[in-house]
Amino acid sequence: MSSTGGGSPLRVHAVRFGPGQELLASLQAFVEENRLRAPFIITCVGSVTKATLRLANATAANTNEVAGSSVQACDVLLMITSSLRSRLWRLWKELLFCRHDVMMLAFPQVIHLSGRFEIVSLVGTLNQDAHVHICLSDSEGKTVGGHVMGDLEVFTTAEVVVGEAVDLQFTRELDERTGFPELVVQPCTDE
């Protein structure tokens, strides 16, 4: 499935969300209230106290949820059953040689974060089935990022600039190759 749209004029919206607001739901409500048809995030600065993220190795059928504010390789070792220990040991040895493709096999696919995090980056499309990625930095400057599943609770502020491709419309359709609803870009039709 390939989906492209032609060029389009840009309309820009700016919005600020305050402490305690859930950022993704608030953005989706903003999009709905303003009847935006092809919205996307241009930039965002702010902070959150919670986040639920799906990491890159997840599939539609296997999210392997694990709770914890910071997931370390040693935590993963403790979660593995004894029947997988030899496989894990082989993978761990490969990790020591910086094999990033193998590293993703060792970590869980969904994480729940709790603490104080700066929003380093927030990007994505905001149609009804939003597809948003975030990168967060903790108090030591360590970063984590992934697909936003929810629970983005604003700590102090979230200042977001939202763009809208005025002549386009974003929808999503299930892509059987990926197992996920993927972006479909179409010319805007007046309703």
Side-chain angles (χ1 to χ4, degrees):
M1 173 190 313
S2 177
S3 181
T4 59
S8 176
L10 173 66
R11 184 175 296 138
V12 177
H13 307 266
V15 61
R16 178 185 177 261
F17 301 105
Q21 289 185 275
E22 201 287 320
L23 184 53
L24 182 58
S26 296
L27 280 167
Q28 288 178 305
F30 177 82
V31 164
E32 189 174 317
E33 289 167 12
N34 289 280
R35 307 181 95 199
L36 307 183
R37 296 182 190 187
F40 56 94
I41 298 167
I42 295 175
T43 191
C44 173
V45 294
S47 58
V48 295
T49 57
K50 294 192 308 186
T52 298
L53 307 178
R54 185 182 71 222
L55 304 180
N57 199 35
T59 64
N62 176 23
T63 59
N64 191 24
E65 259 183 73
V66 175
S69 61
S70 62
V71 177
Q72 302 292 325
C74 58
D75 296 329
V76 175
L77 283 169
L78 297 173
M79 291 183 262
I80 302 299
T81 63
S82 60
S83 64
L84 296 176
R85 284 191 186 147
S86 64
R87 181 173 174 218
L88 180 62
W89 179 245
R90 187 182 86 252
L91 293 173
W92 184 251
K93 287 193 295 188
E94 288 187 58
L95 281 173
L96 296 176
F97 295 102
C98 297
R99 292 270 319 271
H100 296 289
D101 56 332
V102 176
M103 188 180 304
M104 286 311 300
L105 295 173
F107 287 89
Q109 286 85 25
V110 173
I111 58 174
H112 304 281
L113 302 173
S114 181
R116 293 181 178 176
F117 301 92
E118 288 291 324
I119 299 170
V120 177
S121 176
L122 183 70
V123 297
T125 54
L126 291 169
N127 53 304
Q128 186 175 2
D129 298 312
H131 186 182
V132 177
H133 289 191
I134 195 167
C135 183
L136 300 170
S137 173
D138 68 15
S139 62
E140 296 176 359
K142 295 178 185 173
T143 58
V144 62
H147 175 87
V148 175
M149 303 291 289
D151 292 331
L152 285 178
E153 186 176 293
V154 174
F155 175 46
T156 57
T157 190
E159 301 162 6
V160 187
V161 179
V162 175
E164 178 187 17
V166 178
D167 293 341
L168 300 177
Q169 181 172 322
F170 293 166
T171 60
R172 293 205 168 267
E173 292 179 10
L174 182 65
D175 184 329
E176 292 183 18
R177 296 172 299 171
T178 66
F180 291 103
E182 301 293 358
L183 182 67
V184 177
V185 180
Q186 300 170 328
C188 189
T189 57
D190 290 330
E191 294 178 12

